[in-house]
Amino acid sequence: MATNPDAVHNSIKPGKWVRSTCKMCLHSCTNLIHVTDDGVVNKIEGDPTNPSNQGKLCPKGNSAIMRHYDPKRFKQPLKRTNPEKGPNIDPMWEPISWDEAFEITARELKKSIDEDPRKLLPSIEDFQKMNTWAWPLTFGNFNCFQSAGTMCGGAYHPVNGYIHSAFAAANDAKHCMYWINDGTGDGFSSHLHAAAQSKWVADARMDRGMRCVTIEPRFSISAAKSEEWVPILPATDRQFALGLCHEMVNNGLVDYKFMRKDTNAPYLVGEDGYFIRNNEDKIFVWDSVENCAKLWDDPSIKKLALEGTFDVDGKECKPAFQRFKDILEECSPEAMEKITTVPAETTRRLARELYDAAEIAKDSTIEIDGRVMPLRPAAYNYYRGAQGHKMGFQTNHAFKMVNFMLGNIDTPGGHMGVTLDDQMIDNGHIQPGENGMILPTPHQLGPVPPFSYPPNTFHLMDYFPVGVNPPHLNLKVWEDPSKYGIDFKPDVMVICHSNPLWAMQGPRNKWFEFMRSMRFIVVSDLIPTETTMWADVILPSHDVLESWNNTMIEPPHTEGYCFRQPVVEPLYDTKSEEEIFYELSERLGVLEQYNEVVNMAIGLVNKPELMLETNVKHTDREIARRRGLLWNGKDIDWYMEHGHAVTERRSDKWYRPWEGLRLHFYIEDMLVQRDGLKKKMEDANVPFIDEWQWNDYSPLPTATLDPVHNEPEEYDMYGMFYKDIQLNFGESLSNPWIQDIVYRDPVHIALMLNPATAEKKGLKALDIVKVESPHGVLFGRIGTSEGMHPGALGVSNALSRIKTGQMGAPHAGGHFNDLLPYDLLNTDAVTGQPETVCRLKITKLDDWPQGLKDGKSVYDIVDEIGQPGKGRTH
Amino acid sequence: MARWGMVFDMKRCIGCNACVVGCKQENSLPDGVFFTKTLSEEYGVFPSVNRVYIPTLCNHCEDAPCEKVCPSGATYTRDDGIVMVDSDKCIGCGACAVACPYDQRTQLSADNFKSGLFGDGELTPFEEQGYARYEPGMVTKCDFCSGRVDAGLDPACVVTCPTDARIFGDLDDPDSKPSKLIRERGGRAPLPEKNTKPKVYYID
Amino acid sequence: MAVRDLPIVGDSFNVGFRFQRYWDTPMANAFFSCEAGAGLFFVSMFVGYIPGMILGIVAGVGLKAFFHLTHMGVPFRSWRAAIRPDRSWTSRGVLGIAVLVVFGVAHIVIQQYGLVAAWGLPGFVTDLVIFGAGVGAVSCMCYQGFAMSHSNAISLWSTGLMPVSSFVYALTSGVLLTLALAFNGHLAEQAGLREILVTAGLFSCFALVAVLLSLLHASRHGSPGAQKSFDLLTKSLYAKWFYSLIWVAGIVVPVLVLWLAPGYTLVLVAALGALIGHYAFRVLIFKAGVFEPIMSFRP
């Protein structure tokens, strides 16, 4: 690219461009980074050679330079000299050498780990680096004090593991023509690779006329761009989806061919919920032409029954499809309307529109790369807002059921499983399971600890055999450890690339006490956050422009590794996270074990010649190099030149990779897991077995209300929170460029209420209010919008930072997560998914409480920006 | 000689403001200063609500009122239609700022440059290499990334827009992307009654 | 909801009106000084009151330049303001000021020291100088209004009445200032001068009324931005200042005083009122100026 020494525009000043990968959220759009001849990073753009983000970057990616040059960045290791700890208490950091920092850290960790490795509470959550995330496994430690995947993916990932044997899911933007977004902003504001997905979805809408419908309590960006917005009461999306299924099942709006051929819907289920099996454990089906039971793989089957009640060897049974139809009897659109407030007529119409758009009646097909497959260009996409509820497993399953009805699972135009990290190009993610079904893989984020009583994890992960970590239970257990039989006391924390004091749910003041009960806390991070305030030692890490990595993180339409390489010398006395963990491992005498864990975590075990030597402290560069070799056999110089190995997803992996196997329409494993866990808990006399909600385990989704709907009536509103593309999947509010755009956006500067609701409550815009749920309190200022469901209060993530006195992000009156529960009642017994909606009541205040009056808050900034009487002076 | 113009496809725009940050990057803009903004308007009554995202920037008008009123000759139009501001000539009188019907001119104060992006009085290396192009007190605006255009590139905001809602090109070329879009989907000028002949068009 | 009901949105990313604040109080000070000063010079020249002429130039040029420099973004380059008289009213104004200074000072000096006679210059030189000074003064009295109305961006200002309002305000301030300053001195010496000025002042005030009402009318029936400005001035944010300072102090008080054939004290009050009204007009017409919303979709 021509450069001009007199140029005033940054991208064309003399310098060089380096290919690398963005890190402003957990995903991995790749970019081009411009460094001037004087070594200043002055422009970052998307890399046009990457078929994923195609040269685009979201506002966060565009703001990365101001993370790099953030003056608050930790410049060297620090030691706390103020023994008092609190969100606003100055730690009185003293700079120390790396040697001293490592010495203190290793010494304190060793003290506890030698006593009992379970005394370590880790919070290490860099999705781009499973090699650090898995570090606690070095000690056989399954504790988890981080929120990664909890609110958005606690139940989402296990269900995707059952249905698609994949980590995430998204609609096929290449062929979809009718795209539903329920509680998600895919393609508009959030979720998978926001910049990339926005481009894919925009092209689908504009080039192919794809229709979008958004189901959400709030008129989000997705709703604004959709052809239709369906307002819905928070925490009722499961009931809505079941209403759709009711309409489909009772009016023949189903892809029966798909049900019969590609799913276990015809498999016969007994009254106890288990499949009907013969002595060899083979499962029976019913041939409706010959009117008899046969084994599922009997070649003489004429037509598989999906409905009816049958008798097999004296056992009454029904096809799984019939079992679902029975559940749906109480899920008519009219019955569901009472819960969701979505008009029955809308549900009926959408069901029909989806069916028509999916081209089921025509049995449309499409040929891709020589394979002729069904074309089902209508799909139901959903994510955090829809799935983050107590009955998480059933909730996610219900959304999948809509897609099952449309016959679109992993099918062109439909709802696709998205793998997290294929590790090697030829890695398939489908394994055959029993009885012709795919092998379900709910453990998408790594191995889970086996059952144990007394528990071996502080957050009771031993009791969620198919779950994702429920870190909020750390707080519940900490309140009364003996109640849960805990026989160890965690007292050291290792926190890296994680901000649990911001992300966890439950009241802050209790989390603060939790932190105070720790003997030693080491934090590795870039900038001061809510969490770094509590550290005893800070180990500052390189940022994304100073380090190496190679990663693939659930890209929806592409696959392949995205490479990160240093662009400049480290600005400060920092180290890579790899160097930090290797040094600590060596000092703790577990270097070999750690290398073994890394080999497993990043898949090097698949190619023994690439496995890391266990007696070496490897660098981030070396790990990046080997990951690249693992992916496509290319060495690091190839990656340094190309920046990525991203291609569009191979159609044989993306489309119906399970062809010939059957999908789990009916998840019998729920009963296997339930009964297995129950027996173990009974045999071990687990004292809290009565708290376990066995009904959460269900092979099919039901319409049981989440407990949030049964909170006391005085809490008459539903609270929901949201982010948009400037904020999602990362910390960005400390960035001045992000602050410059977020606090000018009307949806991120007030607690949002429907105007009619506000009027009924005697509230108006700019009123200061106290918001209370049964679990906590939040203060804020009201804004009104017709784009809010009358029953909901919307709280933007921009208004949930905590005042610390050291952070760049301004506070706003509390934290939405304080309003959320953290108990077992509101946790999915299957997956650990917590409830992310609350019931609340709103009280008008005359003024802010004293503690919130000093220091600049978001509302102060908003007033400065929007004050009438002050215009555009600079 | 090209006649550069831009089209905003409001059906594509998702109001993410990536363009705004990309522009701030490219042009080393101080805090609170924008050469482009994406506005939003929400209207309707629940549940029939609408929201439109409306990108804005300097329209590089053919009949630029800012150029007309500039007493020092700092504001001028290049042969290719880009309206520029010469930072060596601007006296910061603000005549252009009150002459622009679109409020796209912005005055840079000395405070902008002193307090820095992080408001702590220290400039980052990025700011130090970037602020040199500005004279504190001057009134300036988007210049369609003229340097990039001269190098055959699109403006920074266009390049980064995730949904391709910003389309840049030669309005005199009937086959250019903006020309085609204006023709096919009825591009309209903003505030046409102000008779400025803007070269930025909006498509619904 | 009509466009005019859109809110004023400050610096947020909402669609709505935005105040213009580029020409704010420092600029209002400069405009006021220039107009009042030039008006004072003009009227003083008309009645031959030398101290008034001197003060007029000091205020109209000196004070104006000072305040203008406080407004300028890059003050040390302000000489560049004169470069484009072919198209910019700012440049033309600089020329006008130059003319006023040159011919105005010349006129003062000539009058004070009787130089035409002393140097034996032809008589038409006096008239030439007076003409030049007059041109300079008049251009200073109205060029600022031209500058404001040159672009149609701020609808409130986009009217031919702008330069007229400048001129009439300048004239009113000039008349009343001259009356007040020279009441017991120069004006007392020549019969009928006071009366002429009183009458001129009254007519000037009536002209002000006409101009203001026309401005309001044009604004009320203009673009949404103009209507918004109208609301700001007459009903909402600036209404109390608008009525009390511009109408009561700036017009009612001078008119009443002039009508009642005043003594010195009342004339002072009238002059003060007129100046207050003039200054308030300058400030409020800047403050009430808004940019139109770039587009709106609400029905």
Side-chain angles (χ1 to χ4, degrees), chain A residues 9-11 13 42-45 56-57 59 62 199 203 205 219 225 740 744 785-786 872 874, chain B residues 10-13 16 24-26 28 32 42 46 51 106-107 109 129 143 148 160-162 164:
Chain A
H9 299 92
N10 285 332
S11 61
K13 288 178 182 167
N42 72 352
K43 187 84 202 294
I44 298 183
E45 299 180 8
K56 314 301 185 181
L57 284 182
N62 268 289
K199 166 84 172 126
D203 285 349
R205 289 172 56 232
F219 193 68
K225 307 308 292 183
D740 238 356
R744 292 170 207 271
S785 162
E786 295 285 350
R872 291 268 320 280
H874 294 287
Chain B
M10 291 187 287
K11 194 157 179 211
R12 284 182 177 262
C13 179
C16 71
K24 276 179 161 289
Q25 272 201 84
E26 184 71 47
S28 311
E42 187 177 287
F46 180 86
R51 193 187 302 128
T106 181
Q107 180 148 38
S109 77
Q129 63 85 47
D143 70 340
R148 285 179 60 96
T160 199
C161 173
D164 284 335

Side-chain angles (χ1 to χ4, degrees), chain B residues 20-185:
Chain B
V20 176
V21 184
C23 170
K24 276 179 161 289
Q25 272 201 84
E26 184 71 47
N27 294 294
S28 311
L29 294 181
D31 213 36
V33 173
F34 305 94
F35 282 178
T36 182
K37 299 174 169 184
T38 300
L39 312 178
S40 70
E41 183 181 37
E42 187 177 287
Y43 58 96
V45 176
F46 180 86
S48 308
V49 183
N50 291 280
R51 193 187 302 128
V52 185
Y53 296 104
I54 304 168
T56 66
L57 50 57
C58 167
N59 295 296
H60 295 271
C61 307
E62 305 248 294
D63 250 346
C66 59
E67 188 179 355
K68 250 192 322 190
V69 304
C70 175
S72 69
T75 300
Y76 63 96
T77 306
R78 296 188 347 174
D79 289 336
D80 60 3
I82 298 183
V83 180
M84 305 283 293
V85 180
D86 187 335
S87 58
D88 291 328
K89 292 186 180 164
C90 177
I91 63 178
C93 72
C96 58
V98 297
C100 175
Y102 311 100
D103 191 21
Q104 290 297 327
R105 313 246 353 179
T106 181
Q107 180 148 38
L108 307 176
S109 77
D111 284 341
N112 280 142
F113 298 104
K114 272 206 289 276
S115 60
L117 283 173
F118 288 92
D120 58 355
E122 305 264 340
L123 296 185
T124 60
F126 171 87
E127 291 167 273
E128 282 179 357
Q129 63 85 47
Y131 286 167
R133 78 183 268 198
Y134 298 117
E135 184 68 57
M138 71 180 292
V139 182
T140 185
K141 65 183 189 64
C142 154
D143 70 340
F144 269 173
C145 287
S146 55
R148 285 179 60 96
V149 171
D150 291 340
L153 303 166
D154 278 342
C157 59
V158 172
V159 155
T160 199
C161 173
T163 57
D164 284 335
R166 293 180 172 233
I167 301 99
F168 180 80
D170 181 0
L171 295 177
D172 276 347
D173 174 5
D175 292 324
S176 74
K177 282 196 274 202
S179 299
K180 282 207 259 195
L181 277 169
I182 293 166
R183 244 186 357 253
E184 288 161 11
R185 288 175 52 200

